[in-house]
Amino acid sequence: MSSVSATSVKDVITHHIESRRSGYIQTSHSIHERPEIGNKEFYAQDLLTSHLISEGFKVEKGVAGHETSFYAVKSSNKPGPTIAFLAEYDALPGIGHACGHNIIGTASIAAANSVASVLDEIGGKVVVLGTPAEEGGPNGSAKGSFVKHGYLEDIDAAMMIHPSYQSGRTTTSLAVDPLDFEFIGKPAHAASSPQDGINALDGVLQLFNGINALRQHVQDDVRIHGIITHGGDAPNIVPEYAKARFYIRAASRTVLNEVTEKVRAIAEGAALATGASLNVIAFQNEVDNLIPTPLFDDVFEEAFNSLGGEFSGDGRNGIGSTDAGNISHVVPTIHPYIQIGPKELVLHTDAFREAAKSKKGDLGLIIGAKSLALTAMTLYTNPEMLKQIQQEFKEIRE
């Protein structure tokens, strides 16, 4: 590590990002200007991977069952840990980058590139997981696919940052089961021969009524919310097909599994009551609750503070879900928040979309990337700290 020690690890890392600052900001803005929904992020995929390839990463696209995903790796000839940076880059339907994924993806590749620049000195391996469709949708929540396909098996720790209304530590999130409920009945003329029909829409309505009754008997952290995506074709035809889409959430996977089984039983009862047949379809990956590893966040907070940042809270309003939770069940994971706007800023709004390409958003991108890189550098150069983080993670998981 002689050449790194001759200057300063911090200076090397921060200078690498700073010297490419305008390029990273332009990348973030370009992704912002061309929003792509989940599993359609071809432009963002190409733009982000081009940065990695230029820094010597080996990049494989279309992994883990997602055409717009990527797996990027750069190795040294020396032993050491393998640290993964998580890149998100999908936009929200209709509202664009109102969750700031243009910042998330760019910050992760900037951090990875800076670490890779000194990898031959410090040893180990750096990985970037390009994970599409964090916002869900068909075949959504790609981090779950990365776990299922074994891409986390040799990873020692994983990290990312998320823009927010304030800077703060990793927080818990809700596990989610995303399910479609299809009811299949039998058409008939609704006026002249209703007795010959089986009303699939009645099955959906019974499902909603049953779920509404269930809400009285679940824990406070449980959330069940859904819509009717198809309710029939005409009022004078008994609906032969109807479908509802639900997100079922809870603070832990264990509780969620129990609640989901109850919802499935309600759906089966609705089908039995109406005479319709039922299909229950998981339209995207299930999402697990995010498990913080506090010691890991301590390392990030120290890096963030050294760059002039300051945590002012937990970084979010309310509690939602993220497929980073799936990663956090497998390896120690951090998902801290970086402020990009005023305290009134709310995710998934027009205001947040505009903040994601603002001067403050650009600043959040750069300080976030530097903080991630410095956090990773601590894990590479301080084996005892990494060991302690992994031990804490093990104890929390147990």
Side-chain angles (χ1 to χ4, degrees), residues 235-293:
N236 62 341
I237 303 172
V238 174
E240 68 171 322
Y241 178 82
K243 185 170 78 171
R245 172 164 290 185
F246 274 88
Y247 285 114
I248 309 165
R249 305 182 195 247
S252 73
R253 170 52 57 183
T254 300
V255 171
L256 180 58
N257 287 342
E258 295 172 357
V259 175
T260 296
E261 282 306 305
K262 292 178 180 180
V263 173
R264 284 177 176 269
I266 290 169
E268 291 166 1
L272 182 64
T274 58
S277 59
L278 171 70
N279 295 316
V280 182
I281 305 163
F283 62 88
Q284 68 180 69
N285 280 315
E286 70 279 2
V287 174
D288 289 331
N289 54 297
L290 201 158
I291 302 174
T293 305

Side-chain angles (χ1 to χ4, degrees), residues 144-371:
S145 300
F146 274 78
V147 172
K148 292 174 183 177
H149 284 78
Y151 283 93
L152 278 298
E153 289 179 0
D154 66 343
I155 303 297
D156 292 298
M159 62 184 80
M160 61 175 286
I161 57 104
H162 198 297
S164 184
Y165 71 99
Q166 65 181 5
S167 300
R169 298 168 68 93
T170 304
T171 56
T172 58
S173 67
L174 298 177
V176 188
D177 281 335
L179 297 176
D180 281 341
F181 296 87
E182 286 187 333
F183 289 83
I184 302 167
K186 180 181 176 183
H189 194 291
S192 65
S193 53
Q195 70 279 2
D196 294 327
I198 296 175
N199 195 319
L201 179 59
D202 282 345
V204 167
L205 297 178
Q206 291 281 2
L207 171 65
F208 272 83
N209 288 334
I211 288 173
N212 285 338
L214 176 64
R215 293 183 207 278
Q216 303 174 60
H217 306 288
V218 295
Q219 297 177 190
D220 290 344
D221 58 274
V222 173
R223 302 286 186 271
I224 311 172
H225 41 100
I227 59 170
I228 298 174
T229 60
H230 191 86
D233 299 309
N236 62 341
I237 303 172
V238 174
E240 68 171 322
Y241 178 82
K243 185 170 78 171
R245 172 164 290 185
F246 274 88
Y247 285 114
I248 309 165
R249 305 182 195 247
S252 73
R253 170 52 57 183
T254 300
V255 171
L256 180 58
N257 287 342
E258 295 172 357
V259 175
T260 296
E261 282 306 305
K262 292 178 180 180
V263 173
R264 284 177 176 269
I266 290 169
E268 291 166 1
L272 182 64
T274 58
S277 59
L278 171 70
N279 295 316
V280 182
I281 305 163
F283 62 88
Q284 68 180 69
N285 280 315
E286 70 279 2
V287 174
D288 289 331
N289 54 297
L290 201 158
I291 302 174
T293 305
L295 185 57
F296 198 174
D297 269 291
D298 289 345
V299 176
F300 180 88
E301 184 172 5
E302 182 177 352
F304 186 61
N305 290 345
S306 75
L307 296 167
E310 182 180 358
F311 281 178
S312 53
D314 64 9
R316 62 163 190 201
N317 283 314
I319 184 168
S321 304
T322 171
D323 60 2
N326 297 58
I327 305 292
S328 76
H329 279 248
V330 181
V331 298
T333 302
I334 56 169
H335 181 284
Y337 297 88
I338 301 294
Q339 184 180 25
I340 66 165
K343 299 292 186 182
E344 300 78 24
L345 198 61
V346 177
L347 284 164
H348 295 198
T349 62
D350 290 339
F352 201 97
R353 181 190 62 222
E354 296 310 303
K357 65 173 182 180
S358 67
K359 293 294 185 183
K360 196 158 188 177
D362 296 342
L363 179 62
L365 160 63
I366 298 303
I367 192 173
K370 291 177 180 178
S371 300

Side-chain angles (χ1 to χ4, degrees), residues 72-110:
V73 59
K74 189 173 182 180
S75 302
S76 71
N77 294 320
K78 296 181 179 181
T82 300
I83 307 300
F85 297 91
L86 309 177
E88 299 172 5
Y89 36 94
D90 62 314
L92 289 155
I95 199 171
H97 279 287
C99 203
H101 292 189
N102 57 302
I103 293 174
I104 295 172
T106 308
S108 283
I109 62 105

